[in-house]
Amino acid sequence: MKIIGVIPARYNSSRFPGKPLADICGKPMIWWVHERLKGLEGLNEVYVATDDLRIKEVCESYGIKTIMTSENHKTHLDRLYEVSTLIDADFYINVNGDEPLIETEAISRILPNGVDPNSLYVSNLMTELKNPLEAVDFSKIKIATDVFGYGLYLARSPIPYPKGTYDFYYKKFVGVQCFTKSALEFCYSAPRGPLEAAEDIDEFRFIENGQKIKFVEANVTTLSVDTPKDLDKVRDIIKDRLESVVFE
């Protein structure tokens, strides 16, 4: 099987322009994500997929392979689909470019095991939400699954509502995914539904069109960088990690 890793990265984020190149302890954020992904055994290649020459130039200065993709893509899934038309593989592992804290071991949980590469297969990491403030943070996507781990609903508001019991742990979306080529083709050709439009969550493209998403739970140290305030938190965490290594 051929498995490639892809990090979608665009410059013109509406909430945080230039985010992939934001400095974290002397390196751009995209470098930190790439370091985590390239350490994963089982990948044939790792690429940053971008629409911006500034990102391409910085990546290449660090020896990171890049693929130039269209600037007209509305979602990261559309960008992944274009990558699949340029590089043939059985599986595509996506790690969002705003996940600099993600551990390589956690990413390994998403590697396909016994999955038919010709099937329409989608899987996504999720983790227990430990900070109660994230439950009401609309930028953190909450997940409800069935007993088999397949997604029932994704929301920016807290789900489920704990009317019957408080004995429940919220789960949140982690930007680490696995797709077969046919899954990306399906996603690109399927229509955008009303739930995707309302919640602005790309993965509804599958659920609203009758396809399943397998959610894989992992104990993940993660903080997706959606705002400059998130970046400050990530900088502090990585700085502490680097200092602890030095003093050890």
Side-chain angles (χ1 to χ4, degrees):
M1 289 192 304
K2 183 177 181 180
I3 306 175
I4 69 166
V6 185
I7 306 169
R10 66 190 184 99
Y11 192 91
N12 293 317
S13 168
S14 58
R15 284 184 289 175
F16 194 165
K19 181 169 63 172
L21 302 184
D23 180 82
I24 301 177
C25 300
K27 297 287 198 309
M29 180 162 60
I30 196 71
W31 180 89
W32 291 97
V33 180
H34 183 267
E35 283 294 296
R36 304 298 188 265
L37 187 52
K38 81 170 188 179
L40 181 61
E41 292 186 12
L43 295 186
N44 296 89
E45 298 167 318
V46 177
Y47 295 91
V48 167
T50 186
D51 59 358
D52 192 276
L53 287 174
R54 287 165 289 189
I55 294 176
K56 180 178 185 290
E57 290 171 1
V58 169
C59 286
E60 290 182 345
S61 72
Y62 286 100
I64 298 172
K65 293 180 180 179
T66 60
I67 302 175
M68 291 301 295
T69 52
S70 171
E71 61 182 16
N72 297 320
H73 292 314
K74 295 181 180 179
T75 74
H76 75 288
L77 298 181
D78 294 334
R79 198 173 306 284
L80 282 170
Y81 166 73
E82 183 179 354
V83 171
S84 75
T85 67
L86 299 172
I87 300 178
D88 189 45
D90 296 300
F91 295 94
Y92 299 83
I93 305 296
N94 167 73
V95 178
N96 288 355
D98 58 4
E99 292 278 0
L101 296 182
I102 193 73
E103 300 98 338
T104 302
E105 183 179 354
I107 301 173
S108 70
R109 299 268 296 158
I110 207 72
L111 288 173
N113 183 16
V115 177
D116 179 0
N118 296 311
S119 66
L120 198 161
Y121 176 78
V122 185
S123 62
N124 203 116
L125 282 192
M126 66 177 179
T127 193
E128 183 181 316
L129 195 156
K130 298 181 177 66
N131 183 347
L133 292 177
E134 289 186 312
V136 293
D137 183 346
F138 76 89
S139 69
K140 314 305 178 189
I141 298 171
K142 276 65 71 174
I143 299 163
T145 68
D146 64 18
V147 296
F148 303 104
Y150 290 101
L152 292 172
Y153 197 80
L154 293 79
R156 297 188 179 277
S157 55
I159 56 170
Y161 185 86
K163 178 180 182 295
T165 179
Y166 293 108
D167 186 20
F168 183 84
Y169 295 97
Y170 288 104
K171 305 293 174 59
K172 73 172 182 177
F173 181 99
V174 178
V176 178
Q177 301 164 298
C178 176
F179 303 91
T180 54
K181 192 180 186 74
S182 61
L184 292 173
E185 290 173 349
F186 176 87
C187 180
Y188 187 75
S189 60
R192 191 178 199 224
L195 294 179
E196 181 183 351
E199 293 275 10
D200 194 22
I201 298 174
D202 306 337
E203 286 67 26
F204 268 120
R205 189 76 54 85
F206 294 101
I207 295 174
E208 287 192 86
N209 288 285
Q211 302 300 323
K212 292 183 176 182
I213 300 178
K214 177 71 173 181
F215 281 92
V216 180
E217 190 162 3
N219 185 15
V220 180
T221 302
T222 181
L223 175 59
S224 58
V225 178
D226 298 304
T227 66
K229 186 179 292 186
D230 292 332
L231 180 63
D232 290 338
K233 294 177 184 176
V234 167
R235 281 174 174 154
D236 289 340
I237 293 170
I238 291 182
K239 182 181 178 182
D240 288 344
R241 287 181 180 178
L242 294 174
E243 288 178 348
S244 67
V245 170
V246 170
F247 287 116
E248 284 177 3

